[in-house]
Amino acid sequence: MTTQSTTPAGFTGNRNRYYNPVSKIQSLIHNLDAELVQLCKQCTVQKPLNSLNNSTSLGSHFSSYGALGGGGGSKTMGGSSSMGRNHFAPDSIGNLLARVRASSPLPRTITSSPTAPEAQKRQMRNVYRTRVIDAYRNRRIFTVYGNYHTVRRALMRRGWLEKLPASRHAKLQSMSEDALLEHARRGNDYEAVIISKMINHFPAFFIWQGKGQRDLCAEVRPFRNRVRRSQFLDFSTKVGLVGCAEQERWYREDGVCGMSYPRFYRLGGNNLEERMAFIEDYQQTQARSLLLFVREHQPAELISDNGTIFSTTLDFALGKVKKMVRHAEHYSLDDARIKPPTPAEIVENQTFMVQSTDVLKSNAKFKVSEKVMAEYARLAGLYLDQIESLRPDYRWDGSRNLWILKPGYQSRGIGIVIRSSLDDILQWTSNNQNKKYIVQKYIERPLLIYRTKFDIRQYMLLTITDTKVSIWTYRDCYLRFSSQEFTMDDLRESIHLTNNSVQKRYKNKTNRDSRLPKNNMWSLDQFKNYLRIMGAPDGSWSKTYNGFKQNLVAVVMASLDETELLQNAFELYGCDFMLDEHYNPILIEINSTPDLSPSTEITARICPMVLKDCIRVVVDLPKNPTAATGNFELAFEVNYSINKGADGKPLELNGKQMTLFENMPRVRNSPRTRLLRKILNNVKTSTTKKVEKVLEAPPKNVKTPTTKITKKKKLSASAGSSTAASAQPSTQNLTTKLILNPTTRENLALQYTAPK
C-alpha cells in the first residue's frame, strides 16, 4: 500500500498562495477524495477495475482535474496497467461513474455523489477560506479606493488580501460564488473577487481612501491615509495654510522650525479688519515698489523739465517705509491693530496711489533736478535695505505690486488670477464670495532657469502612532517648468502657473531655450547638474533641502492643536516650493491628494517609488524598527503622550492642602505682629466641613466688606422638618467668618501695620 500524503491538493507550502498544478499531476492520486472512496464501497466494480495496480495509469485519466492529484493509490485497486488503459479510454470522472453504474448488477439505487469539479470547488473554497481567516488573524486585509495599483501590489507581496470596494470589478462581484470558482485561477480577477466575497464581513486593517470619504472600520484602528484636522488649520487648503502661517511664530526655532511663506489675506469673508489690513499692506507695497523703481534706474531717466510728478510723492513713499522700519524694530500687539485712516490721510493716500501708478505703469517723469533725484535714490536704497533686513520676504517683491488671487478650497490651478489694481482685487473677491478667495503677494523676483519659471514638488509623509507624530520628508523630488518664458508684462496662466494640470493644456513656446525639457519636468539630478554648471555656491542644494524640512515641520507643528491624533493614521502630501534668487525655499501650497500618475518619464519613475517607500514606513517600520524606509527621512518627531502615566491614564495631582499658622513655635511676638495675626485669623478660610456648609449661604447682615464680624446666628434643626434639617447644620452658636478678597486683606494689613 502506497503511503498517502497529508498535504492538501494545490498547496505549495505557502498559505498565502494557492497553486493548482493541473499540468503536473503525474504522481499518485492525492487522497482519492472521499467521493471515490465512498463510490468503491457502494458499487460492485468489474474485474478489470480490481486488477488495476498501476496508480499512474489511473492518474492519467484524472490528470485534467488537478484538485484530485498528488496522493497514493487505493488498496482495492491492483492488476495490469495495460488492461486499465484498454478498459478506461474515457478520461472523465463522469464517464467512469456512468460505466460503473451500467455494469453494476445490483438493482438498488446508487446515491449520487459530487462530481470532480464540485470537489475541486469545495477544496478551493476551503483553501481560500483558510487564507481569509489567516489574513484576519494577522490584520492583513486592505481596501484601496482608486487606481493606486502600486499600493495594491506592495501589500499583496506582503501577504495581504484585498477587500474590494463596490466599484472595482462590479460585474464580477454580481456573479455567484460557484461561477467565480469555475474560472478562478492563480492571480486572476475571479480569484480576487471570490476572496473579497469571503472577506467582506471582516474589517479592513489598511484603507487608502479619498479625502471626502467617510472613515470606516474605525473600531479596529486601521492604517488610514487620512489625518483629520479642523478647517481653520487644514494646511492642505489655502485657507488652512494661512491659519498655520499665523500660528507658526509660536513654534519658530532657528535651524529646526520656520516657515517662509508669501504674505496673505482672507478677503473671501466679511472680515472688515482683514480687508483694511490688506489695503494698508497694498499701499505700503506701492511705496516700496516706487522706491525700488527709483533705485533700479538712473536719475537722468526719471526726471524731465515737463515732468508731472512732484517730489512730495517720493517724500510720502519714504515716510511710509520709514514708519514700517520703526514698527518692525519695535513691534507690539498694538501695532497689529489697524486703525481707520482720517479723511486727510485718505486724500494723501489716494493722491500718492494715482501719481505712483503713473510712474510705475505709464513711465511718468518727476519734476526735480538730477542732483535731488540722486539723493532720493540714495535714501530709497538705504530704507529698502533696512526694511528687507527686518522682513526678508520683501526681497521677493518687485516694482509691479502684483497679487495672486486663489480660491480657498480648490486646487490644480482652478480659478487663480493675477491682479495689480487695488480696485480690481477688491471687486473680484466681492463678486466671488462663495469661493472664499485669499489674496497672496505674488513673487515677482523668483529664481529662473533659462528665463523660465519653475517650482519644485516635494513629498512629505505624516504618521501617527499611539505616542508619537512623525514627519518624514522625501530625499528625491522633481521640477516643473512653465511652457512660456517668464515676463511681468503678460499675466496669463501659461506663464505664471507651473502646475502640470495647467501646463499640459499649452504647447511649449517655439523660441524657448532648447536646454529646457520638452515634457517641462526635470529630475533632481538634472537640477543639481544645472547648479554645478551655473557655479552655484557649494551646499546650495543642502541649504534648499533643509529649508524644505524646516517649512514642513513648522506647518505641522502649527496645526497639531487642531489635529485628531488617531493611532495608525498617516497621510502623503505633495508640497510645492519656489526658490528665491539665493536658493531659499518659499512654500506655495500643500496638496493632500497629490497627482501620482505617470504623466511623464520623470513622474513614472518617482511616483511609484514614493508609494512603495510609503508602505515601507507605514506597514514595515512599526513591526521592525530596523526596516528600510527608502528615500523617506525622519525630519522631526513629536511625543504627544507626555500627559499620560505608565498605565496610559492621565496623570493626577494628589495631595493635602497646607494649613498656615498652625503648630507654629510659641515665641513672643511684637504688638504689631500679634495684631496682624489677629486680622489674618479673622479672615482666613476655615477647613472644617461645618463652617463650609454655613458659608454656602452668605449672611444677610453683612453689608460691606469692612464689617468686622457678623452677629451670631442661631441655627436650629427641628426633628419634624427633614428638609430643613438636611439643608442646615445642627450646630448652634456657630460664628461665621467673613471672606475678604486679596485687595481688602492687603489694605487692612497695611492699615494696622503702618508706623504711627
Side-chain angles (χ1 to χ4, degrees):
M1 176 178 177
T2 307
T3 306
Q4 297 180 354
S5 172
T6 59
T7 305
F11 186 70
T12 63
N14 185 0
R15 289 190 176 273
N16 295 326
R17 293 185 178 179
Y18 173 75
Y19 179 52
N20 186 16
V22 176
S23 62
K24 294 185 178 180
I25 301 181
Q26 300 296 334
S27 61
L28 298 176
I29 299 176
H30 178 69
N31 284 343
L32 283 176
D33 283 330
E35 288 80 5
L36 292 180
V37 175
Q38 186 177 15
L39 178 65
C40 293
K41 291 180 179 180
Q42 294 179 355
C43 300
T44 300
V45 186
Q46 290 181 346
K47 180 68 176 178
L49 183 64
N50 294 331
S51 63
L52 185 64
N53 62 354
N54 191 348
S55 59
T56 59
S57 175
L58 184 60
S60 65
H61 295 296
F62 305 139
S63 60
S64 61
Y65 298 94
L68 300 178
S74 172
K75 65 181 179 179
T76 62
M77 295 184 181
S80 170
S81 61
S82 61
M83 295 176 61
R85 290 191 192 95
N86 295 333
H87 255 290
F88 302 109
D91 51 359
S92 66
I93 293 182
N95 293 338
L96 176 63
L97 294 178
R99 183 183 294 275
V100 172
R101 293 191 188 98
S103 61
S104 177
L106 296 178
R108 61 188 179 90
T109 304
I110 301 177
T111 305
S112 62
S113 61
T115 62
E118 293 178 354
Q120 180 182 1
K121 290 180 184 179
R122 182 162 56 254
Q123 191 170 14
M124 293 173 63
R125 186 182 289 109
N126 292 336
V127 172
Y128 288 147
R129 187 175 291 110
T130 301
R131 293 177 59 190
V132 167
I133 295 175
D134 182 70
Y136 172 71
R137 290 174 177 173
N138 292 280
R139 293 176 63 93
R140 290 183 177 178
I141 301 174
F142 74 94
T143 298
V144 175
Y145 295 89
N147 297 323
Y148 295 93
H149 301 300
T150 304
V151 177
R152 288 190 176 92
R153 289 191 292 265
L155 292 173
M156 294 180 72
R157 280 196 296 268
R158 289 165 171 79
W160 289 61
L161 299 182
E162 182 176 9
K163 181 179 179 181
L164 297 175
S167 60
R168 184 167 172 80
H169 302 313
K171 292 183 179 180
L172 295 183
Q173 291 195 52
S174 63
M175 296 173 60
S176 64
E177 188 172 304
D178 290 339
L180 292 171
L181 286 172
E182 290 181 3
H183 303 281
R185 299 294 184 271
R186 176 188 175 188
N188 66 1
D189 295 340
Y190 294 93
E191 184 184 61
V193 173
I194 189 64
I195 290 177
S196 178
K197 281 179 171 290
M198 293 181 179
I199 217 168
N200 190 45
H201 60 283
F202 290 118
F205 300 98
F206 182 101
I207 302 176
W208 190 286
Q209 65 184 48
K211 187 175 182 179
Q213 289 182 256
R214 186 167 59 94
D215 294 346
L216 301 176
C217 307
E219 65 279 359
V220 297
R221 299 191 305 275
F223 294 110
R224 193 191 308 276
N225 70 321
R226 290 294 164 219
V227 176
R228 307 295 185 182
R229 55 182 61 85
S230 69
Q231 188 178 23
F232 176 72
L233 294 179
D234 184 5
F235 50 75
S236 62
T237 66
K238 280 44 169 211
V239 175
L241 190 58
V242 169
C244 292
E246 292 175 338
Q247 301 295 323
E248 173 266 340
R249 68 184 65 180
W250 306 109
Y251 304 94
R252 183 178 292 271
E253 183 178 351
D254 293 340
V256 178
C257 177
M259 191 172 174
S260 179
Y261 187 67
R263 56 192 185 277
F264 46 79
Y265 298 93
R266 291 174 288 248
L267 301 186
N270 298 321
N271 192 334
L272 181 60
E273 184 176 356
E274 191 149 3
R275 184 173 290 260
M276 292 174 58
F278 165 69
I279 294 174
E280 176 67 19
D281 192 350
Y282 183 90
Q283 294 173 352
Q284 293 176 352
T285 305
Q286 185 81 353
R288 293 197 315 276
S289 299
L290 180 61
L291 297 183
L292 182 62
F293 183 84
V294 170
R295 186 178 68 175
E296 292 178 346
H297 290 77
Q298 295 296 328
E301 300 175 356
L302 302 174
I303 61 174
S304 174
D305 295 337
N306 299 325
T308 58
I309 308 300
F310 297 98
S311 61
T312 54
T313 303
L314 292 172
D315 294 334
F316 185 88
L318 290 172
K320 275 273 188 185
V321 177
K322 186 177 181 179
K323 184 179 180 181
M324 293 171 60
V325 172
R326 185 170 63 253
H327 285 180
E329 291 177 342
H330 308 286
Y331 180 80
S332 65
L333 294 178
D334 293 334
D335 297 331
R337 300 171 183 171
I338 304 301
K339 300 178 182 179
T342 62
E345 292 176 345
I346 294 176
V347 173
E348 291 180 355
N349 287 328
Q350 290 179 348
T351 303
F352 167 75
M353 295 299 297
V354 171
Q355 294 187 354
S356 60
T357 302
D358 291 341
V359 174
L360 297 175
K361 294 185 177 182
S362 303
N363 201 19
K365 305 298 182 180
F366 289 94
K367 194 174 183 180
V368 295
S369 64
E370 184 176 354
K371 183 178 180 180
V372 173
M373 181 55 67
E375 181 62 20
Y376 276 120
R378 186 188 68 82
L379 292 175
L382 178 63
Y383 286 138
L384 287 176
D385 291 341
Q386 290 181 4
I387 192 61
E388 289 176 359
S389 64
L390 298 172
R391 290 289 302 271
D393 59 304
Y394 287 164
R395 297 171 182 166
W396 312 332
D397 297 348
S399 58
R400 300 298 184 97
N401 201 1
L402 292 177
W403 296 77
I404 185 168
L405 287 72
K406 302 178 181 179
Y409 299 101
Q410 288 183 333
S411 59
R412 303 182 186 276
I414 300 175
I416 295 179
V417 296
I418 300 175
R419 295 289 183 269
S420 61
S421 171
L422 178 61
D423 295 336
D424 291 346
I425 295 173
L426 297 178
Q427 186 67 29
W428 185 276
T429 55
S430 299
N431 294 340
N432 298 276
Q433 289 286 338
N434 58 329
K435 294 186 178 181
K436 306 297 181 184
Y437 266 90
I438 68 164
V439 178
Q440 190 176 30
K441 184 64 185 72
Y442 185 73
I443 301 174
E444 301 179 29
R445 299 163 67 180
L447 179 66
L448 302 177
I449 296 180
Y450 303 130
R451 303 183 304 276
T452 305
K453 184 179 178 182
F454 71 96
D455 69 355
I456 301 177
R457 168 56 61 92
Q458 170 71 36
Y459 292 102
M460 174 183 68
L461 177 63
L462 187 65
T463 61
I464 302 177
T465 65
D466 57 342
T467 58
K468 295 179 181 180
V469 177
S470 301
I471 305 168
W472 303 79
T473 54
Y474 207 64
R475 284 187 285 261
D476 199 0
C477 59
Y478 63 95
L479 279 66
R480 304 180 298 184
F481 290 90
S482 173
S483 59
Q484 317 294 322
E485 288 189 354
F486 183 75
T487 177
M488 302 297 295
D489 299 327
D490 191 347
L491 301 181
R492 289 180 301 169
E493 65 175 9
S494 60
I495 299 174
H496 300 278
L497 301 184
T498 55
N499 307 55
N500 185 57
S501 57
V502 173
Q503 292 299 325
K504 67 182 181 181
R505 301 197 296 262
Y506 300 95
K507 294 182 179 180
N508 294 339
K509 191 175 181 180
T510 55
N511 60 347
R512 199 176 66 153
D513 197 300
S514 59
R515 292 170 292 184
L516 292 172
K518 295 182 179 180
N519 57 11
N520 292 325
M521 286 190 184
W522 260 5
S523 65
L524 177 59
D525 292 335
Q526 290 174 302
F527 180 60
K528 289 181 178 179
N529 185 50
Y530 168 80
L531 294 178
R532 287 192 295 268
I533 294 175
M534 300 304 295
D538 295 338
S540 295
W541 173 247
S542 298
K543 171 186 176 182
T544 301
Y545 180 67
N546 290 332
F548 289 166
K549 293 192 291 185
Q550 294 177 27
N551 273 272
L552 298 178
V553 169
V555 169
V556 174
M557 292 295 294
S559 66
L560 278 184
D561 286 344
E562 301 292 336
T563 301
E564 297 181 15
L565 301 178
L566 300 179
Q567 183 179 354
N568 296 332
F570 71 97
E571 193 158 6
L572 180 66
Y573 301 96
C575 312
D576 297 335
F577 288 89
M578 292 180 62
L579 302 182
D580 64 9
E581 297 173 346
H582 302 284
Y583 307 104
N584 297 309
I586 306 168
L587 179 60
I588 303 300
E589 63 182 17
I590 299 177
N591 301 285
S592 60
T593 309
D595 184 12
L596 297 170
S597 61
S599 56
T600 66
E601 60 181 9
I602 302 297
T603 55
R605 181 191 62 85
I606 190 173
C607 291
M609 289 174 50
V610 171
L611 291 174
K612 292 177 183 178
D613 294 344
C614 176
I615 299 301
R616 289 189 177 102
V617 174
V618 174
V619 177
D620 298 345
L621 195 62
K623 296 181 180 179
N624 181 14
T626 62
T629 59
N631 283 329
F632 274 112
E633 177 186 14
L634 183 61
F636 199 75
E637 202 169 55
V638 181
N639 189 343
Y640 67 89
S641 62
I642 299 177
N643 60 340
K644 295 182 180 180
D647 56 353
K649 297 181 180 179
L651 297 177
E652 296 181 358
L653 181 63
N654 297 322
K656 186 177 181 181
Q657 184 179 4
M658 294 180 62
T659 303
L660 301 179
F661 301 117
E662 290 188 10
N663 300 328
M664 294 289 292
R666 293 181 176 274
V667 294
R668 183 172 181 81
N669 300 321
S670 62
R672 181 176 300 178
T673 304
R674 290 196 297 271
L675 183 58
L676 178 59
R677 178 175 295 179
K678 181 178 180 181
I679 295 172
L680 294 176
N681 287 337
N682 288 335
V683 299
K684 73 177 182 179
T685 304
S686 176
T687 58
T688 61
K689 295 183 179 180
K690 295 181 180 180
V691 175
E692 288 179 357
K693 292 182 179 180
V694 175
L695 292 179
E696 289 178 359
K700 299 181 180 179
N701 296 333
V702 179
K703 295 182 180 181
T704 61
T706 56
T707 305
K708 295 182 179 179
I709 300 178
T710 59
K711 295 182 179 180
K712 294 183 180 180
K713 186 177 181 180
K714 296 182 180 181
L715 303 176
S716 61
S718 62
S721 179
S722 61
T723 305
S726 62
Q728 296 179 352
S730 59
T731 305
Q732 297 182 357
N733 299 330
L734 184 62
T735 302
T736 61
K737 296 182 179 180
L738 180 64
I739 305 301
L740 301 181
N741 56 44
T743 304
T744 306
R745 183 182 305 176
E746 182 179 357
N747 293 336
L748 286 174
L750 293 175
Q751 178 181 354
Y752 283 95
T753 58
K756 298 182 180 180

